[in-house]
Amino acid sequence: MPFARALAGWGSRRALVHGARTVSYADLARLVEERARRLGTERRLVLLEMASDVESVVTYLAALAGAHPVVVVDAARPDVVAATRAAYDVDVVARGAEIEERRAGTAHDLHPELAVLLSTSGSTGSPRLVRLSAENLQANAESIAAYLPLREDDLAALSLPLHYCYGLSVLHSHLLRGAGVLMSEASVVDPCFWAAAREHGATSLAGVPHTFELLERVGLETVAPDSLRYLTQAGGAMAPERVRTYAEIGQRRGFDLFVMYGQTEATARMAYLPPDLAATRPGAVGVPVPGGRFDLLEVPGAPAGTGELVYEGPNVMLGYAEHPRDLADGRELTRLRTGDLARRADDGLWEIVGRLSRTAKVLGLRIDLDRVERALVDTGARALVAGTAPVDGAAERVVVAVEPRARGGAARLRARVRRQVVDLTGLPAAAVDVHAVEALPRLATGKPDHRAVAALGTPRPAAPLQGDPPAAPRTVRDVLGGVLGRRVGDDDTFAGLGGDSLTYVETSLQLEEVLGHLPADWHLRTVADLQAGAGARARRGRSLETNVVLRAVAIVAVVGTHANLLTLLGGAHLLLALAGFNLARFALGDVSRRDRARALVAAAARVAVPAVAWIGGAALLLGAYPWPTVLLVNGFVGPPGWTEPAWHHWFLEALVLLVLVVAALVSVPALDRAERRWPFWFPVALTLVALLPRYELVWLPEGDVIHRAPVVAWLLTLGWAVARARTTPHRLVVSALAVATVPGFFGDDARSAAVVVGLLLLTWSRQVRLPGPLARVVATLAGASLYIYLTHWQVYPHLEVDHPALATLLSLVVGVAVWRVAQHLERHLRRVGANVALTRPRYPADPAQMSR
């Protein structure tokens, strides 16, 4: 193995970095030579329990240098280690620097070319292994080093496991060029990972699609070191929009994105997409790696120009092994049938459009779905198993539909099946979706409908089966899943799951009950991070964010003023600024442009749908409102001046319209890029533009002014800027804007003062501690503020003259009650939607759509 034997030639260059330990090439060569002597000169079959540490790499390279065929397995999976050890009767078992010799010689006939054996089915413990030769490893390392801009001074930040062919390929290609590898057991969401990357000057990062999904949560532009020159992605298809997003980030930050395609059977890589095409051709796998070529085999029934992709090159495996006797076999094939449906586009780039076989690649692991299904059936379960492709940025998953044998107990059945799949595949529980169904979906022919099963795994709120026992929130995952109605994994965050200002309050209160104390940035922290802090001693009282307290105060001020209990104007205008504040936090995260627009439209819908339903009902039953008010267009076609009741819901109309305008703005690529590059100054600039109508520097129709959407838009964008104000100078800027622009707008000093004070509190004080009972009341009012505003117009007029306090109280109570009913109805609709998806599976018109 040339690159394993040539280590000393790179001298004092750093080869491996792990924690506080840095190993030069000269030191690595010495360690490998010493370990090779311990393995002996007679070729033996070595089982290596591979971990991401120096000693494991030394033993691996020693086996290669000594020509010992090495079976690489995950050190963290003792069940897989035991199964592989028993299946192949290995001669030597190695754990880091520990060498266990099971016999002096070998019990096997080992083919001279055999070098490495890797699992092709993830971590299932399957006896089927890929047989790779020394030529395979060397050729693929040279090929990768040829198309990547690999230099001797490079350092790869590696979070991928080394028992995985992608992780090994990073190691091989860097050792070939005398470059370094920074190894870490930490996830890319762990600040320690990036601290090490910055400290040592990492120049590249390799990841599977799930890695890039996690990077969206931490914000790559924020954490990446300036030394980063390129990213590589493989291990499954990544959503084209996400590819484009990272390519655009790279253009801004000065690094390249290499999207790659490969299989263990081809040692690692078969194709790559040149980085200059990532933004314009994100759905393609690109061109063959140097030394390789593609061809198509005809597939009956496939569209013209589409066929099974076949790869040919020096990195194609020798063949498979399923028994020790297979280790004596030489080369069995030179052309690899990939099992992927593909086509070659007019520009010469290759595209994957589907799969022929029943496999799924989840988090970089190839999962044999038929094997998992058979294993479940063997335990007595009535189950079907499918895999989902990445959809709308969601990771690929294993999806199981299971049919309960008796009524009730569905929750326990799902939990048991999930544990079985996790144990069998080595996947995290968050990557396995289990659904209890009344009957397994079948085609008209009676055959299993795996496509309908896969449809269950598309992103949608979880739908508990009727009869499941309610579970009290005991963990962070329970709380987020219960409030948001979503499936929740350890790496998820509240913001990443689609949480918004309407669900923020209830979630924060429940989480504080679980955790004892809630950090200020909890909505951006992962489930695992929050859960790690569970049990911290709670301080007296409850922490509520200032924006939550202000929402409650504002809605009480609105209702109390209308009911003649008090006079405190400006509440609705402050609510508009708070809406901008929360939009920036929950709908404008570090996700794709399409996901941002979708989140904003969904936010507008969560206001518009109940508003139109309630106002329309009041119009039909009571004759209370004209149709422009019902349709939320009164500001455009209604009476020009304030007229009751036509203008009652001006706030909701303005809010919906302005949120949709923001959605349109961030849908424009140039504006979206500008917002990401200047997250604070972009909304400040929008505020300055939106002040033109406020100061009547543009033409406005006659009539009411302070309640029209174009005129009050600056309040929403100012709230947006407050959310982005991270430094003292930023806070001074938004404070100055508030103090300079609010006075004079209303013609009422007290009203202006109320809005200014609210904005300053929002800017400078992010949390307020309240006694527990009061905090619950405040949180409830804040959470129900939309429905209180919507319904109070039908409550307080009956009591405002004689009983203003009662009018105020009943308005608040009715609004909270309607809010609770709306929450219950929303959960019911989610459940119905999930059941409809079961009975009406989707069939793509184009077979090419089946792959993604």
Side-chain angles (χ1 to χ4, degrees):
M1 182 64 63
F3 70 75
R5 290 178 174 272
L7 300 173
W10 297 106
S12 60
R13 288 197 168 278
R14 63 182 175 183
L16 304 175
V17 180
H18 182 238
R21 184 180 184 186
T22 299
V23 180
S24 70
Y25 272 92
D27 290 338
L28 180 60
R30 177 180 53 78
L31 292 170
V32 168
E33 184 179 358
E34 292 173 356
R35 194 71 44 84
R37 284 199 295 269
R38 291 178 58 189
L39 290 174
T41 56
E42 182 180 357
R43 292 185 79 218
R44 293 187 290 177
L45 183 63
V46 177
L47 173 67
L48 173 60
E49 300 179 27
M50 178 68 90
S52 294
D53 57 38
V54 172
E55 296 303 334
S56 293
V57 173
V58 168
T59 301
Y60 173 71
L61 294 174
L64 294 184
H68 301 285
V70 56
V71 186
V72 181
V73 294
D74 184 1
R77 292 295 305 275
D79 55 332
V80 175
V81 172
T84 308
R85 177 173 174 162
Y88 282 91
D89 187 24
V90 296
D91 303 316
V92 178
V93 177
R95 304 176 194 86
E98 298 178 17
I99 306 295
E100 176 192 342
E101 299 191 49
R102 301 186 65 207
R103 56 180 62 90
T106 182
H108 307 288
D109 182 7
L110 302 172
H111 192 275
E113 295 183 39
L114 184 62
V116 172
L117 295 111
L118 297 175
S119 171
T120 183
S121 300
S123 299
T124 62
S126 168
R128 193 183 205 197
L129 301 175
V130 169
R131 295 184 290 116
L132 299 174
S133 68
E135 180 192 6
N136 292 153
L137 301 180
Q138 185 75 19
N140 205 226
E142 291 176 351
S143 176
I144 294 170
Y147 68 76
L148 288 181
L150 250 173
R151 304 189 309 218
E152 295 178 8
D153 59 348
D154 274 341
L155 181 70
L158 186 62
S159 66
L160 299 172
L162 287 172
H163 66 270
Y164 172 38
C165 68
Y166 185 9
L168 276 180
S169 73
V170 175
L171 178 68
H172 295 165
S173 56
H174 281 67
L175 294 180
L176 180 75
R177 285 288 186 262
V181 177
L182 172 63
M183 298 181 295
S184 175
E185 296 85 1
S187 166
V188 292
V189 300
D190 191 331
C192 295
F193 179 88
W194 294 107
R198 286 189 292 271
E199 177 186 354
H200 296 286
T203 58
S204 67
L205 172 70
V208 297
H210 184 58
T211 307
F212 289 84
E213 188 178 338
L214 297 178
L215 288 174
E216 289 187 353
R217 293 173 170 84
V218 299
L220 179 63
E221 287 190 274
T222 303
V223 299
D226 294 337
S227 55
L228 191 67
R229 293 198 302 111
Y230 62 92
L231 308 178
T232 63
Q233 182 271 313
M238 190 158 73
E241 186 62 29
R242 183 167 283 141
V243 173
R244 186 180 291 111
T245 295
Y246 279 97
E248 292 171 352
I249 293 174
Q251 290 171 1
R252 295 195 295 271
R253 283 293 306 267
F255 60 75
D256 290 326
L257 171 65
F258 288 83
V259 176
M260 306 184 297
Y261 164 73
Q263 293 182 356
T264 309
E265 289 87 343
T267 309
R269 305 276 72 82
M270 292 185 287
Y272 73 100
L273 183 65
D276 59 317
L277 300 177
T280 56
R281 293 288 274 114
V285 297
V287 297
V289 299
R293 62 181 299 271
F294 283 135
D295 198 0
L296 292 177
L297 286 181
E298 183 178 352
V299 175
T306 301
E308 182 181 4
L309 188 64
V310 178
Y311 176 79
E312 185 174 357
N315 51 316
V316 173
M317 66 175 179
L318 300 175
Y320 291 111
E322 297 188 16
H323 188 274
R325 60 175 172 268
D326 298 330
L327 304 180
D329 295 339
R331 178 165 296 281
E332 296 177 334
L333 71 163
T334 57
R335 287 163 50 90
L336 176 66
R337 298 182 58 168
T338 65
D340 288 323
L341 283 171
R343 62 188 171 210
R344 189 178 186 185
D346 294 339
D347 57 5
L349 298 181
W350 291 85
E351 301 170 332
I352 306 299
V353 298
R355 282 291 295 168
L356 292 174
S357 61
R358 285 259 298 143
T359 61
K361 210 164 192 179
V362 183
L363 307 185
L365 297 178
R366 183 105 49 88
I367 306 299
D368 185 335
L369 298 173
D370 285 327
R371 173 182 168 81
V372 176
E373 189 173 286
R374 286 194 303 269
L376 291 176
V377 172
D378 288 344
T379 66
R382 296 173 180 168
L384 294 177
V385 180
T388 67
V391 176
D392 296 334
E396 190 170 4
R397 297 169 179 265
V398 170
V399 185
V400 183
V402 60
E403 183 180 326
R405 293 183 177 274
R407 294 184 62 83
R412 288 191 296 273
L413 175 63
R414 289 200 299 264
R416 176 171 61 81
V417 170
R418 181 178 282 108
R419 282 196 302 272
Q420 289 176 299
V421 177
V422 167
D423 291 341
L424 188 66
T425 62
L427 293 171
V432 180
D433 287 345
V434 181
H435 300 262
V437 298
E438 294 184 2
L440 296 177
R442 303 277 178 182
L443 299 172
T445 59
K447 294 182 178 180
D449 189 352
H450 287 105
R451 197 177 300 173
V453 176
L456 297 174
T458 56
R460 61 165 62 88
L465 196 69
Q466 187 173 4
D468 282 358
R474 292 186 299 273
T475 67
V476 173
R477 185 181 296 180
D478 292 334
V479 172
L480 293 181
V483 176
L484 300 178
R486 298 284 300 272
R487 301 180 186 92
V488 180
D490 286 343
D491 295 319
D492 287 325
T493 64
F494 173 82
L497 289 167
D500 56 22
S501 60
L502 297 176
T503 52
Y504 180 88
V505 181
E506 183 66 22
T507 307
S508 63
L509 285 177
Q510 291 192 32
L511 281 179
E512 193 163 18
E513 291 175 0
V514 170
L515 299 177
H517 169 63
L518 199 58
D521 61 345
W522 69 266
H523 61 291
L524 300 176
R525 295 198 183 190
T526 65
V527 169
D529 187 19
L530 288 173
Q531 194 64 52
R537 191 169 70 176
R539 292 181 288 172
R540 298 186 64 181
R542 289 283 182 85
S543 292
L544 289 181
E545 288 204 1
T546 303
N547 84 89
V548 173
V549 178
L550 289 175
R551 274 168 62 187
V553 171
I555 196 60
V556 171
V558 168
V559 175
T561 299
H562 290 168
N564 294 324
L565 178 65
L566 50 86
T567 301
L568 183 57
L569 299 172
H573 289 82
L574 180 57
L575 284 172
L576 198 61
L578 293 172
F581 180 86
N582 285 312
L583 281 179
R585 301 174 74 204
F586 303 126
L588 292 172
D590 190 15
V591 294
S592 68
R593 185 173 68 252
R594 182 171 60 181
D595 286 343
R596 282 181 159 194
R598 184 174 296 145
L600 287 162
V601 171
R606 293 198 70 182
V607 175
V609 171
V612 171
W614 181 270
I615 302 170
L620 290 173
L621 298 176
L622 306 175
Y625 298 108
W627 70 265
T629 302
V630 174
L631 298 179
L632 304 180
V633 294
N634 178 73
F636 296 95
V637 299
W642 179 275
T643 303
E644 294 198 30
W647 282 85
H648 278 178
H649 297 285
W650 72 270
F651 164 69
L652 301 179
E653 178 181 321
L655 178 58
V656 171
L657 176 62
L658 293 176
V659 172
L660 292 176
V661 169
V662 174
L665 290 176
V666 301
S667 297
V668 178
L671 294 179
D672 182 66
R673 288 194 296 270
E675 193 280 332
R676 294 175 192 269
R677 185 171 183 179
W678 299 291
F680 172 71
W681 294 109
F682 185 85
V684 168
L686 285 183
T687 301
L688 296 177
V689 173
L691 283 170
L692 296 177
R694 179 257 183 270
Y695 287 108
E696 300 182 17
L697 298 176
V698 296
W699 178 84
L700 292 171
E702 295 293 330
D704 185 275
V705 174
I706 65 171
H707 300 112
R708 293 183 185 273
V711 183
V712 297
W714 62 279
L715 286 169
L716 183 134
T717 57
L718 185 55
W720 176 357
V722 170
R724 297 299 200 214
R726 304 298 187 193
T727 65
T728 297
H730 287 171
R731 295 188 179 97
L732 289 172
V733 169
V734 292
S735 298
L737 281 172
V739 172
T741 59
V742 175
F745 180 62
F746 302 106
D748 180 338
D749 291 342
R751 192 173 191 175
S752 297
V755 175
V756 170
V757 169
L759 285 168
L760 292 179
L761 286 172
L762 185 66
T763 302
W764 294 97
S765 175
R766 292 298 170 91
Q767 281 195 334
V768 177
R769 289 204 67 80
L770 298 174
L774 178 59
R776 170 55 70 176
V777 172
V778 169
T780 301
L781 293 175
S785 56
L786 166 63
Y787 290 89
I788 293 173
Y789 186 91
L790 191 60
T791 62
H792 83 285
W793 301 101
Q794 277 69 57
V795 180
Y796 79 84
H798 304 290
L799 299 166
E800 63 175 319
V801 176
D802 299 321
H803 306 286
L806 183 59
T808 302
L809 179 61
L810 282 179
S811 295
L812 298 176
V813 169
V814 169
V816 171
V818 173
W819 173 53
R820 293 298 189 190
V821 171
Q823 286 182 311
H824 177 77
L825 179 61
E826 185 177 355
R827 293 188 185 103
H828 174 73
L829 292 176
R830 286 172 180 162
R831 187 179 298 115
V832 170
N835 291 336
V836 168
L838 266 179
T839 57
R840 301 176 68 180
R842 299 175 300 173
Y843 294 88
D846 182 357
Q849 298 175 7
M850 294 171 57
S851 65
R852 302 192 179 201

